[in-house]
Protein backbone atom coordinates (compact mmCIF):
# COMPACT_ATOMS: atom_id res chain seq x y z
CA UNK A 1 0.00 0.00 0.00
CA UNK A 2 1.38 3.37 -1.01
CA UNK A 3 1.25 6.49 1.16
CA UNK A 4 -1.33 8.05 -1.16
CA UNK A 5 -3.60 5.02 -0.88
CA UNK A 6 -3.25 5.09 2.90
CA UNK A 7 -4.18 8.77 3.12
CA UNK A 8 -7.19 8.29 0.83
CA UNK A 9 -8.37 5.40 2.99
CA UNK A 10 -7.99 7.43 6.20
CA UNK A 11 -9.91 10.36 4.66
CA UNK A 12 -12.78 8.14 3.55
CA UNK A 13 -12.87 6.55 6.98
CA UNK A 14 -13.07 9.95 8.68
CA UNK A 15 -15.87 11.05 6.35
CA UNK A 16 -17.81 7.90 7.14
CA UNK A 17 -17.25 8.46 10.87
CA UNK A 18 -18.48 12.07 10.65
CA UNK A 19 -21.63 11.00 8.79
CA UNK A 20 -22.36 8.29 11.36
CA UNK A 21 -21.82 10.71 14.27
CA UNK A 22 -24.11 13.25 12.61
CA UNK A 23 -26.83 10.66 12.19
CA UNK A 24 -26.41 9.62 15.82
CA UNK A 25 -26.67 13.23 17.08
CA UNK A 26 -29.73 13.95 14.91
CA UNK A 27 -31.42 10.74 16.02
CA UNK A 28 -30.74 11.53 19.68
CA UNK A 29 -32.01 15.10 19.28
CA UNK A 30 -35.21 13.97 17.57
CA UNK A 31 -35.74 11.35 20.26
CA UNK A 32 -35.43 13.93 23.05
CA UNK A 33 -37.75 16.36 21.28
CA UNK A 34 -40.27 13.60 20.64
CA UNK A 35 -40.30 12.71 24.34
CA UNK A 36 -40.90 16.34 25.29
CA UNK A 37 -43.71 16.73 22.78
CA UNK A 38 -45.31 13.50 23.99
CA UNK A 39 -45.15 14.73 27.60
CA UNK A 40 -46.71 18.04 26.53
CA UNK A 41 -49.58 16.26 24.79
CA UNK A 42 -50.19 14.03 27.82
CA UNK A 43 -50.20 17.04 30.15
CA UNK A 44 -52.73 18.78 27.93
CA UNK A 45 -55.02 15.77 27.77
CA UNK A 46 -54.86 15.31 31.53
CA UNK A 47 -55.65 18.98 32.18
CA UNK A 48 -58.65 18.89 29.82
CA UNK A 49 -60.00 15.68 31.36
CA UNK A 50 -59.47 16.89 34.93
CA UNK A 51 -61.27 20.21 34.36
CA UNK A 52 -64.02 18.55 32.31
CA UNK A 53 -64.80 16.00 35.03
CA UNK A 54 -65.14 18.66 37.73
CA UNK A 55 -67.26 20.89 35.48
CA UNK A 56 -69.58 17.98 34.74
CA UNK A 57 -70.07 17.58 38.50
CA UNK A 58 -70.51 21.31 39.16
CA UNK A 59 -73.82 22.06 40.87
CA UNK A 60 -74.18 18.54 42.24
CA UNK A 61 -76.24 18.78 45.45
CA UNK A 62 -76.92 15.08 46.01
CA UNK A 63 -80.36 14.34 47.50
CA UNK A 64 -81.12 17.96 48.36
CA UNK A 65 -84.07 19.27 46.37
CA UNK A 66 -82.96 22.63 44.98
CA UNK A 67 -85.59 22.99 42.26
CA UNK A 68 -86.53 26.67 42.12
CA UNK A 69 -83.85 27.70 44.63
CA UNK A 70 -82.30 31.13 44.32
CA UNK A 71 -78.62 31.36 43.38
CA UNK A 72 -75.90 33.27 45.23
CA UNK A 73 -72.48 34.40 44.02
CA UNK A 74 -70.14 33.88 46.99
CA UNK A 75 -66.72 35.37 47.43
CA UNK A 76 -64.37 32.87 45.69
CA UNK A 77 -61.74 33.44 48.36
CA UNK A 78 -64.00 33.15 51.41
CA UNK A 79 -63.18 30.19 53.66
CA UNK A 80 -66.28 30.55 55.84
CA UNK A 81 -69.19 29.28 53.76
CA UNK A 82 -72.49 31.06 54.45
CA UNK A 83 -74.15 30.64 51.09
CA UNK A 84 -76.96 28.19 51.92
CA UNK A 85 -80.19 29.50 53.39
CA UNK A 86 -83.31 27.57 54.38
CA UNK A 87 -86.32 29.60 53.30
CA UNK A 88 -86.43 30.89 50.69
CA UNK A 89 -83.93 28.22 49.64
CA UNK A 90 -80.71 29.58 48.14
CA UNK A 91 -77.57 27.75 47.06
CA UNK A 92 -74.20 28.89 45.66
CA UNK A 93 -73.85 29.17 41.88
CA UNK A 94 -72.30 26.03 40.44
CA UNK A 95 -69.73 28.07 38.56
CA UNK A 96 -68.26 31.55 38.49
CA UNK A 97 -65.65 32.77 36.04
CA UNK A 98 -63.02 35.43 36.62
CA UNK A 99 -61.38 37.27 33.74
CA UNK A 100 -57.68 38.00 33.52
CA UNK A 101 -58.33 41.53 34.76
CA UNK A 102 -60.23 40.41 37.89
CA UNK A 103 -58.12 40.48 41.01
CA UNK A 104 -58.15 37.43 43.27
CA UNK A 105 -56.34 37.85 46.56
CA UNK A 106 -56.31 34.12 47.27
CA UNK A 107 -54.59 33.43 43.92
CA UNK A 108 -51.82 35.98 44.20
CA UNK A 109 -49.49 33.95 41.98
CA UNK A 110 -51.96 33.79 39.07
CA UNK A 111 -50.38 34.14 35.64
CA UNK A 112 -51.26 37.45 34.01
CA UNK A 113 -53.62 37.21 31.03
CA UNK A 114 -55.28 33.99 32.22
CA UNK A 115 -58.78 33.30 33.55
CA UNK A 116 -59.76 31.61 36.80
CA UNK A 117 -62.74 29.39 37.48
CA UNK A 118 -64.64 28.72 40.72
CA UNK A 119 -66.49 25.38 40.83
CA UNK A 120 -68.87 24.39 43.64
CA UNK A 121 -70.59 21.11 44.40
CA UNK A 122 -71.04 18.46 47.05
CA UNK A 123 -68.85 15.39 47.44
CA UNK A 124 -70.14 12.28 45.69
CA UNK A 125 -69.42 10.16 48.78
CA UNK A 126 -71.42 10.25 52.01
CA UNK A 127 -70.36 10.73 55.64
CA UNK A 128 -72.18 9.61 58.77
CA UNK A 129 -72.95 12.19 61.42
CA UNK A 130 -71.37 9.91 64.03
CA UNK A 131 -68.06 10.14 62.20
CA UNK A 132 -67.73 13.89 62.81
CA UNK A 133 -65.39 14.78 65.62
CA UNK A 134 -65.77 17.68 68.01
CA UNK A 135 -63.10 19.63 66.17
CA UNK A 136 -64.55 19.16 62.70
CA UNK A 137 -64.01 22.20 60.47
CA UNK A 138 -65.49 20.84 57.22
CA UNK A 139 -68.90 22.10 56.09
CA UNK A 140 -71.51 19.47 55.18
CA UNK A 141 -75.01 19.45 53.69
CA UNK A 142 -77.74 17.18 55.04
CA UNK A 143 -81.04 16.68 53.21
CA UNK A 144 -84.27 15.34 54.69
CA UNK A 145 -85.71 11.96 53.69
CA UNK A 146 -88.29 11.78 56.49
CA UNK A 147 -91.90 12.97 56.12
CA UNK A 148 -91.88 14.00 59.78
CA UNK A 149 -89.13 16.58 59.30
CA UNK A 150 -90.31 20.22 59.18
CA UNK A 151 -90.99 21.46 55.65
CA UNK A 152 -89.41 24.77 56.57
CA UNK A 153 -86.03 23.06 56.83
CA UNK A 154 -85.31 21.29 53.50
CA UNK A 155 -81.61 20.99 54.30
CA UNK A 156 -78.98 21.69 56.96
CA UNK A 157 -75.67 23.35 56.14
CA UNK A 158 -73.20 23.31 58.99
CA UNK A 159 -69.95 21.88 60.37
CA UNK A 160 -71.39 21.07 63.78
CA UNK A 161 -72.56 17.49 64.33
CA UNK A 162 -75.31 18.70 66.68
CA UNK A 163 -76.93 20.71 63.86
CA UNK A 164 -77.65 17.69 61.64
CA UNK A 165 -81.12 16.68 62.85
CA UNK A 166 -82.79 15.69 59.57
CA UNK A 167 -83.67 12.01 59.37
CA UNK A 168 -83.38 9.07 56.95
CA UNK A 169 -86.19 7.43 54.95
CA UNK A 170 -87.53 5.37 57.85
CA UNK A 171 -87.25 8.35 60.23
CA UNK A 172 -85.14 6.32 62.64
CA UNK A 173 -81.74 8.03 62.49
CA UNK A 174 -79.90 11.06 61.15
CA UNK A 175 -79.54 11.12 57.38
CA UNK A 176 -76.06 10.92 55.85
CA UNK A 177 -74.03 14.01 54.92
CA UNK A 178 -72.22 15.28 51.84
CA UNK A 179 -69.14 17.49 52.20
CA UNK A 180 -69.29 20.93 50.57
CA UNK A 181 -66.55 21.22 47.90
CA UNK A 182 -65.69 24.78 46.74
CA UNK A 183 -62.67 25.07 44.42
CA UNK A 184 -60.84 27.68 42.40
CA UNK A 185 -58.76 26.74 39.33
CA UNK A 186 -56.06 29.10 38.05
CA UNK A 187 -52.73 29.12 36.22
CA UNK A 188 -49.55 30.16 38.02
CA UNK A 189 -46.26 31.06 36.29
CA UNK A 190 -44.42 28.49 38.41
CA UNK A 191 -44.93 25.08 39.94
CA UNK A 192 -42.74 25.78 42.95
CA UNK A 193 -43.30 29.50 43.53
CA UNK A 194 -41.15 29.73 46.65
CA UNK A 195 -38.01 31.84 46.37
CA UNK A 196 -36.96 32.39 42.77
CA UNK A 197 -39.43 29.77 41.50
CA UNK A 198 -38.95 27.27 38.71
CA UNK A 199 -40.66 29.26 35.90
CA UNK A 200 -42.79 26.32 34.76
CA UNK A 201 -46.40 27.51 34.21
CA UNK A 202 -48.73 25.21 36.11
CA UNK A 203 -52.45 24.62 36.48
CA UNK A 204 -53.31 24.83 40.18
CA UNK A 205 -56.35 24.25 42.36
CA UNK A 206 -57.24 26.19 45.48
CA UNK A 207 -59.41 24.17 47.89
CA UNK A 208 -61.38 26.25 50.38
CA UNK A 209 -62.85 23.45 52.48
CA UNK A 210 -62.46 23.39 56.22
CA UNK A 211 -60.90 26.15 58.28
CA UNK A 212 -58.17 27.02 55.78
CA UNK A 213 -57.20 26.91 52.15
CA UNK A 214 -54.67 24.76 50.34
CA UNK A 215 -53.14 25.05 46.87
CA UNK A 216 -52.38 21.93 44.84
CA UNK A 217 -50.24 21.88 41.69
CA UNK A 218 -52.09 19.78 39.11
CA UNK A 219 -50.49 19.93 35.66
CA UNK A 220 -47.25 21.54 34.47
CA UNK A 221 -46.98 23.37 31.17
CA UNK A 222 -50.44 25.01 31.18
CA UNK A 223 -49.51 28.52 30.06
CA UNK A 224 -52.83 30.10 29.06
CA UNK A 225 -56.37 29.25 30.20
CA UNK A 226 -59.41 31.10 28.86
CA UNK A 227 -63.13 30.35 28.97
CA UNK A 228 -66.35 31.16 27.14
CA UNK A 229 -69.57 30.60 29.05
CA UNK A 230 -72.75 29.27 27.47
CA UNK A 231 -75.89 30.95 28.86
CA UNK A 232 -79.32 29.35 28.70
CA UNK A 233 -81.62 32.27 27.92
CA UNK A 234 -84.89 30.36 27.39
CA UNK A 235 -84.74 27.78 30.19
CA UNK A 236 -84.50 24.60 28.10
CA UNK A 237 -81.06 23.51 29.37
CA UNK A 238 -79.18 24.30 26.14
CA UNK A 239 -76.67 27.11 25.66
CA UNK A 240 -78.13 29.87 23.50
CA UNK A 241 -75.33 32.42 23.61
CA UNK A 242 -71.68 32.44 24.66
CA UNK A 243 -69.83 35.25 26.44
CA UNK A 244 -66.61 35.69 28.39
CA UNK A 245 -68.40 36.98 31.52
CA UNK A 246 -71.82 37.96 32.85
CA UNK A 247 -73.18 41.27 31.58
CA UNK A 248 -76.34 43.29 31.17
CA UNK A 249 -79.56 42.59 33.00
CA UNK A 250 -81.06 39.56 31.24
CA UNK A 251 -80.39 35.83 31.49
CA UNK A 252 -76.76 36.38 30.50
CA UNK A 253 -76.23 38.47 33.63
CA UNK A 254 -76.46 35.50 36.04
CA UNK A 255 -73.87 32.79 36.61
CA UNK A 256 -76.69 30.43 37.53
CA UNK A 257 -77.75 30.42 33.86
CA UNK A 258 -74.43 29.00 32.60
CA UNK A 259 -75.05 25.47 31.29
CA UNK A 260 -71.88 24.91 29.21
CA UNK A 261 -68.27 26.07 29.08
CA UNK A 262 -65.92 26.38 26.12
CA UNK A 263 -62.46 25.71 27.51
CA UNK A 264 -59.31 26.90 25.72
CA UNK A 265 -55.80 25.96 26.82
CA UNK A 266 -52.38 26.79 25.40
CA UNK A 267 -49.94 24.19 26.66
CA UNK A 268 -46.17 24.35 26.29
CA UNK A 269 -43.46 21.78 26.85
CA UNK A 270 -41.80 21.86 30.25
CA UNK A 271 -38.32 22.03 28.68
CA UNK A 272 -37.11 23.77 25.54
CA UNK A 273 -36.71 21.77 22.37
CA UNK A 274 -33.15 20.71 21.54
CA UNK A 275 -31.69 22.65 18.64
CA UNK A 276 -32.15 26.22 17.38
CA UNK A 277 -35.69 27.61 17.81
CA UNK A 278 -37.66 28.76 14.81
CA UNK A 279 -37.62 32.49 14.17
CA UNK A 280 -41.38 33.09 14.00
CA UNK A 281 -43.77 33.49 16.91
CA UNK A 282 -46.76 31.19 17.36
CA UNK A 283 -50.32 32.51 17.00
CA UNK A 284 -53.34 30.58 18.25
CA UNK A 285 -57.00 31.30 17.54
CA UNK A 286 -59.11 30.43 20.58
CA UNK A 287 -62.75 30.35 19.50
CA UNK A 288 -64.62 33.60 20.07
CA UNK A 289 -61.76 34.98 22.17
CA UNK A 290 -59.68 35.86 19.11
CA UNK A 291 -55.99 35.28 18.45
CA UNK A 292 -53.14 35.06 20.95
CA UNK A 293 -49.49 35.35 19.94
CA UNK A 294 -46.85 33.58 22.00
CA UNK A 295 -43.17 34.46 21.65
CA UNK A 296 -41.05 31.77 20.03
CA UNK A 297 -38.55 31.01 22.77
CA UNK A 298 -37.69 27.39 22.06
CA UNK A 299 -40.69 25.79 23.78
CA UNK A 300 -43.20 23.63 21.91
CA UNK A 301 -46.76 24.93 22.24
CA UNK A 302 -50.16 23.68 21.14
CA UNK A 303 -53.71 24.91 21.68
CA UNK A 304 -56.54 22.69 22.90
CA UNK A 305 -60.26 23.51 23.02
CA UNK A 306 -63.34 21.61 24.10
CA UNK A 307 -66.94 22.22 25.16
CA UNK A 308 -68.13 20.89 28.53
CA UNK A 309 -71.78 20.63 29.53
CA UNK A 310 -72.72 21.34 33.14
CA UNK A 311 -74.90 18.26 33.52
CA UNK A 312 -76.42 19.08 36.90
CA UNK A 313 -77.42 22.62 35.94
CA UNK A 314 -78.61 21.83 32.42
CA UNK A 315 -80.38 18.61 33.44
CA UNK A 316 -82.62 20.38 35.96
CA UNK A 317 -83.72 22.86 33.31
CA UNK A 318 -84.55 20.10 30.83
CA UNK A 319 -86.91 18.45 33.31
CA UNK A 320 -88.56 21.66 34.52
Amino acid sequence: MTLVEFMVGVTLGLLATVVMLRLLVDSSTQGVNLQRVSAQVENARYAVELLSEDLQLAGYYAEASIQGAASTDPNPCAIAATDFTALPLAVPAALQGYASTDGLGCAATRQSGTDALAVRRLATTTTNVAALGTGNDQYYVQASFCVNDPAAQPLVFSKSAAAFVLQNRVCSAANTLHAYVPRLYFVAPCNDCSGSGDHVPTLKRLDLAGSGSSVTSLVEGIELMRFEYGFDTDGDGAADTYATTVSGSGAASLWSNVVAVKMHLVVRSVDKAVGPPTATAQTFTLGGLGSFTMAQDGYVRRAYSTVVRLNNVAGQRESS
Side-chain angles (χ1 to χ4, degrees):
M1 178 182 295
T2 65
L3 179 61
V4 173
E5 291 174 329
F6 175 75
M7 294 181 66
V8 170
V10 170
T11 302
L12 292 175
L14 289 174
L15 288 175
T17 302
V18 169
V19 171
M20 293 299 296
L21 288 174
R22 182 65 183 178
L23 289 175
L24 179 62
V25 170
D26 288 346
S27 176
S28 177
T29 299
Q30 292 301 320
V32 171
N33 288 337
L34 181 60
Q35 288 180 348
R36 292 177 179 176
V37 170
S38 298
Q40 181 255 1
V41 172
E42 287 301 315
N43 285 349
R45 292 179 59 184
Y46 178 60
V48 169
E49 290 177 5
L50 187 150
L51 288 169
S52 297
E53 288 179 1
D54 217 10
L55 284 172
Q56 289 168 354
L57 285 171
Y60 170 72
Y61 288 115
E63 302 92 353
S65 177
I66 62 170
Q67 192 73 22
S71 177
T72 64
D73 296 333
N75 182 341
C77 297
I79 295 174
T82 57
D83 305 299
F84 290 85
T85 56
L87 286 178
L89 184 62
V91 296
L95 173 148
Q96 278 179 271
Y98 299 90
S100 57
T101 54
D102 296 332
L104 290 171
C106 54
T109 59
R110 181 162 58 129
Q111 176 95 324
S112 62
T114 63
D115 293 347
L117 192 66
V119 178
R120 304 181 186 92
R121 60 179 176 86
L122 299 185
T124 56
T125 57
T126 60
T127 301
N128 291 321
V129 177
L132 301 186
T134 56
N136 171 66
D137 59 3
Q138 168 68 54
Y139 282 92
Y140 290 89
V141 169
Q142 182 190 50
S144 172
F145 278 1
C146 176
V147 295
N148 297 329
D149 286 334
Q153 193 175 19
L155 57 83
V156 172
F157 178 70
S158 179
K159 57 183 179 180
S160 172
F164 298 114
V165 296
L166 301 181
Q167 302 177 77
N168 58 17
R169 295 187 187 277
V170 294
C171 303
S172 62
N175 199 16
T176 54
L177 315 175
H178 289 265
Y180 177 51
V181 184
R183 290 171 169 172
L184 182 69
Y185 291 95
F186 66 97
V187 170
C190 45
N191 183 357
D192 178 9
C193 297
S194 61
S196 59
D198 53 18
H199 307 294
V200 178
T202 303
L203 174 65
K204 297 192 175 186
R205 185 184 69 213
L206 173 68
D207 292 290
L208 295 163
S211 60
S213 60
S214 61
V215 177
T216 303
S217 296
L218 300 175
V219 188
E220 290 186 326
I222 311 303
E223 192 170 34
L224 180 65
M225 181 170 68
R226 301 295 299 269
F227 299 101
E228 296 177 81
Y229 307 100
F231 292 87
D232 176 16
T233 60
D234 55 12
D236 63 353
D240 302 299
T241 183
Y242 281 87
T244 56
T245 187
V246 294
S247 61
S249 58
S253 66
L254 300 173
W255 287 112
S256 57
N257 289 327
V258 174
V259 296
V261 176
K262 288 183 180 179
M263 177 169 49
H264 306 283
L265 302 177
V266 173
V267 185
R268 61 157 242 206
S269 57
V270 175
D271 299 306
K272 291 185 178 182
V274 179
T278 58
T280 58
Q282 293 175 289
T283 299
F284 303 99
T285 300
L286 306 181
L289 294 167
S291 298
F292 295 81
T293 300
M294 317 295 286
Q296 182 48 264
D297 49 9
Y299 292 100
V300 178
R301 292 179 175 86
R302 285 181 173 81
Y304 301 83
S305 298
T306 189
V307 180
V308 185
R309 181 176 184 263
L310 275 62
N311 295 328
N312 293 289
V313 180
Q316 290 184 23
R317 292 165 175 259
E318 288 179 345
S319 59
S320 60

